[in-house]
Amino acid sequence: MTIPSVSLSEQQNIQQILALDARYNNNRNTAPHTKTLYMRRRSQLLRERSDRDRYFQLRSKLLSSKYPSVLTPSDYRAGSRASSMHSRTCSMDSLDIIAPQPSGTPQTGRKKGNQLTPRRHHTPIRTATQPDKDSYAFTDMPHIFDQHSKAVRLVRFAHNSCTLLACCSDDFTISLCNLAPYSVKCVLEGHTGPVRDMDWSIDNSSLLSVSVDGTARLWRCDSGTCIRTIASSHPLTAIRFQPMNNNVCVAGDEEGVLRGYNLSTGKALSGSRERVSNSLTCLEFGPNSSILWASNNKGQIYSVSVNMLTCQLKRMKCTSIPGGGSVVSLAVRAGHPSPLLLASSTSDLIFMFTVDKDVLLLVRKCSAKLNGLPIRSVFCPIATAQRGAFTVSGCVDGSVLVFDMEKGKAVNKLQGHSCPVYGVCLSYDESLLVSSDSSGTVIVWQKR
């Protein structure tokens, strides 16, 4: 089906309608795949140029009759009336659906008594999260993936790619997805426990994954076959390719131990072992590849020196984040004059640090609704002095938030999920944003 283009204000209205549908979708007693098909069809219907006003009125009445405890009669009555000089708002827990008729504009629409229901004149939704930058106004939802049966904790684009995406899930599998055209390329099966982390090789030909089953696996992305399995005596929680040598990787486990492995042999490298206190949660290499950042479940972030030739590991400095809690994601971005590190914690805070060699200096923090869940945040890839530092994070209420870290506040809010959003990622050119949730749904967002 060809989807006609619509204005930014219409897209914002559509996005909030979809969020309303997502909430009702949770109450529908149907199979998971049926719910996903329903959301896909709803997204298509809302973009068809038809008599939307009449459709919304009928839909509100039907929903209120079926779910009276969710929507009150005053909610849909407010949405079905509009005067020629004022707009009416249908609100549900701060979710606004606005169909205004601006003052001073020609009156068009259908008359009902002395009232006029506007058809074509709309103004943007004015909320506290109105985007400051048009760069992050992701208003289109071109596709929804639903191949996973449990939570998708992590989504990652391949390096310098807008068309290849990897998703790892608690259903023991990893899926590789094409985004042009939209399809599931293959599903990587072999782990016997939830998959906790993954990493692309520098040429995108292979993928590393780790699971609580105590194994790390190396996969060929063209065929979807596992070409190497590394066994550990403890559940593995994080893994990264060594950036300068993709024949070597570093993995961390629940006992707080880091090890380097030769991927050709599957053997641990001699002298490449370092213990970091408590269970490791995340790993991330710095821009110069000689420093590895490792976090744990006690709110600590360690700098670990990595020898590029031997992969010998040496623990350096430790930084404790304010408020404690488990660190659930790390992201590093080159910056000027210093690199930046982003950390999300279960204490409902997102921290941004500047990196001075192997020391972290806190510069900003933002509040986010995480409720102790493993909700990740990432940097927006394109960085300029004029734009500052922007980040994207999931949220426990099913929304995706874009933060301006310089201002310390959210500047955009995407609504479409019906449960907590765990994973987020952006393509290298920021044309696409992908989010995943605790039900296994993966949504692709696109700029208009």
Side-chain angles (χ1 to χ4, degrees), residues 288-329:
N288 62 5
S289 304
S290 63
I291 296 293
L292 176 68
W293 299 99
S295 63
N296 65 18
N297 61 351
K298 298 297 182 182
Q300 297 169 320
I301 304 173
Y302 289 86
S303 57
V304 180
S305 174
V306 182
N307 186 299
M308 291 291 98
L309 297 177
T310 64
C311 199
Q312 184 177 1
L313 307 174
K314 182 180 179 181
R315 189 178 69 180
M316 305 291 282
K317 303 290 179 61
C318 173
T319 302
S320 295
I321 62 174
S326 176
V327 178
V328 294
S329 73

Side-chain angles (χ1 to χ4, degrees), residues 6-21:
V6 295
S7 67
L8 178 60
S9 61
E10 287 178 312
Q11 284 288 347
Q12 289 172 322
N13 281 327
I14 288 170
Q15 189 182 120
Q16 294 206 358
I17 291 290
L18 283 173
L20 180 65
D21 285 326

Side-chain angles (χ1 to χ4, degrees), residues 21-265:
D21 285 326
R23 177 163 179 175
Y24 284 120
N25 209 23
N26 257 356
N27 291 277
R28 299 174 71 236
N29 188 21
T30 57
H33 71 276
T34 305
K35 293 184 179 183
T36 305
L37 290 173
Y38 168 76
M39 289 301 295
R40 285 178 179 171
R41 183 56 184 151
R42 287 289 300 117
S43 180
Q44 291 174 336
L45 285 173
L46 285 167
R47 286 165 174 79
E48 293 177 353
R49 288 192 176 279
S50 59
D51 192 354
R52 290 196 187 114
D53 294 326
R54 179 63 177 162
Y55 171 66
F56 289 159
Q57 291 174 28
L58 293 174
R59 172 181 159 279
S60 295
K61 292 177 181 178
L62 288 171
L63 289 175
S64 65
S65 64
K66 186 170 180 59
Y67 305 109
S69 62
V70 180
L71 188 67
T72 63
S74 59
D75 290 328
Y76 68 80
R77 280 199 301 270
S80 63
R81 298 193 307 265
S83 68
S84 61
M85 300 298 292
H86 302 283
S87 66
R88 297 285 180 151
T89 303
C90 174
S91 299
M92 186 179 71
D93 297 341
S94 77
L95 181 63
D96 299 327
I97 303 170
I98 301 178
Q101 179 76 15
S103 175
T105 58
Q107 297 180 352
T108 60
R110 289 173 284 104
K111 287 190 175 181
K112 184 177 180 181
N114 295 324
Q115 295 179 343
L116 183 75
T117 303
R119 277 188 175 183
R120 306 184 66 85
H121 295 282
H122 298 278
T123 57
I125 300 170
R126 303 185 184 278
T127 67
T129 56
Q130 181 77 11
D132 290 339
K133 305 290 184 182
D134 291 338
S135 304
Y136 303 109
F138 292 91
T139 55
D140 195 11
M141 189 189 295
H143 196 75
I144 300 174
F145 289 103
D146 62 347
Q147 66 271 16
H148 291 287
S149 59
K150 293 185 179 180
V152 175
R153 293 176 177 266
L154 179 63
V155 285
R156 280 184 181 272
F157 276 101
H159 297 296
N160 298 321
S161 174
C162 298
T163 60
L164 186 57
L165 178 76
C167 313
C168 72
S169 173
D170 284 356
D171 65 6
F172 310 167
T173 66
I174 303 143
S175 60
L176 301 183
C177 304
N178 288 319
L179 273 60
Y182 291 101
S183 64
V184 178
K185 179 180 180 181
C186 60
V187 177
L188 310 180
E189 298 178 321
H191 284 296
T192 58
V195 183
R196 286 290 179 259
D197 198 14
M198 61 184 176
D199 194 28
W200 289 96
S201 64
I202 193 66
D203 62 355
N204 298 331
S205 64
S206 55
L207 187 81
L208 271 174
S209 63
V210 291
S211 168
V212 297
D213 64 9
T215 64
R217 291 178 178 266
L218 179 66
W219 309 85
R220 286 183 60 91
C221 295
D222 55 354
S223 62
T225 57
C226 178
I227 57 177
R228 183 71 62 205
T229 301
I230 299 171
S232 172
S233 56
H234 300 288
L236 296 174
T237 54
I239 196 165
R240 285 294 177 270
F241 279 105
Q242 188 190 92
M244 304 300 292
N245 181 5
N246 276 187
N247 193 45
V248 174
C249 71
V250 180
D253 63 28
E254 286 190 350
E255 295 298 309
V257 176
L258 285 172
R259 291 182 185 272
Y261 294 93
N262 185 320
L263 293 173
S264 295
T265 63

